[in-house]
Amino acid sequence: MLTLTVAHRRELKAQAHALNPVVMIGKIGLSSNVIEELDRGLSSHELIKIKVQIEDRIVRNALFEEICQQLDAAPVQHIGKIFIIYRPKPEETENKSAHMLPRKKREAFRSKRSFQN
């Protein structure tokens, strides 16, 4: 299971606020099809919202932890019957080092007067 910093978790919560639930888990609970759908959602979106129809709070907490462990995802937020989980895309973590090259400095802004002289 991944761990997140407090600042990163806060950013993810803000991003997830506008999301709609991707997967709804019924009263039966977790099945292999649900896990596969969650995996597909995480691989395409990284950050997903899940709605659960189970009434028992203790069972929901255990389900949230089990989902995160099986999918190797980070738990972001659990409010009532809504779970938010995050798993970064593997190709982005490899390419991140290539994108971290230093940028070229921008040229200074020239005013209209500088062209007249």
Side-chain angles (χ1 to χ4, degrees):
M1 193 164 46
L2 295 174
T3 57
L4 300 172
T5 63
V6 175
H8 191 57
R9 180 172 284 137
R10 188 178 312 134
E11 290 174 13
L12 291 172
K13 284 180 186 180
Q15 289 175 7
H17 185 70
L19 294 178
N20 291 325
V22 174
V23 177
M24 293 184 77
I25 300 174
K27 294 182 180 181
I28 296 171
L30 225 48
S31 68
S32 61
N33 292 335
V34 172
I35 292 292
E36 289 174 9
E37 189 64 32
L38 289 170
D39 189 38
R40 265 187 257 136
L42 283 171
S43 58
S44 63
H45 298 294
E46 290 186 345
L47 181 70
I48 61 171
K49 191 182 278 189
I50 305 164
K51 185 158 181 146
V52 181
Q53 300 296 327
I54 299 171
E55 297 294 327
D56 190 14
R57 184 184 311 172
I58 298 168
V59 174
R60 283 195 312 255
N61 288 336
L63 184 66
F64 187 47
E65 291 176 11
E66 184 180 346
I67 289 170
C68 291
Q69 286 176 354
Q70 284 189 11
L71 296 173
D72 194 31
V76 177
Q77 191 174 29
H78 173 203
I79 296 180
K81 295 181 179 182
I82 301 290
F83 302 156
I84 301 170
I85 59 175
Y86 171 76
R87 182 177 69 189
K89 291 182 180 177
E91 58 268 2
E92 282 193 14
T93 55
E94 294 170 2
N95 292 335
K96 226 177 213 183
S97 59
H99 293 293
M100 299 297 279
L101 297 174
R103 287 197 228 172
K104 187 176 85 172
K105 280 195 167 186
R106 205 172 91 186
E107 293 182 23
F109 179 73
R110 292 183 65 184
S111 66
K112 192 174 185 181
R113 294 256 183 215
S114 67
F115 289 105
Q116 292 177 353
N117 294 335

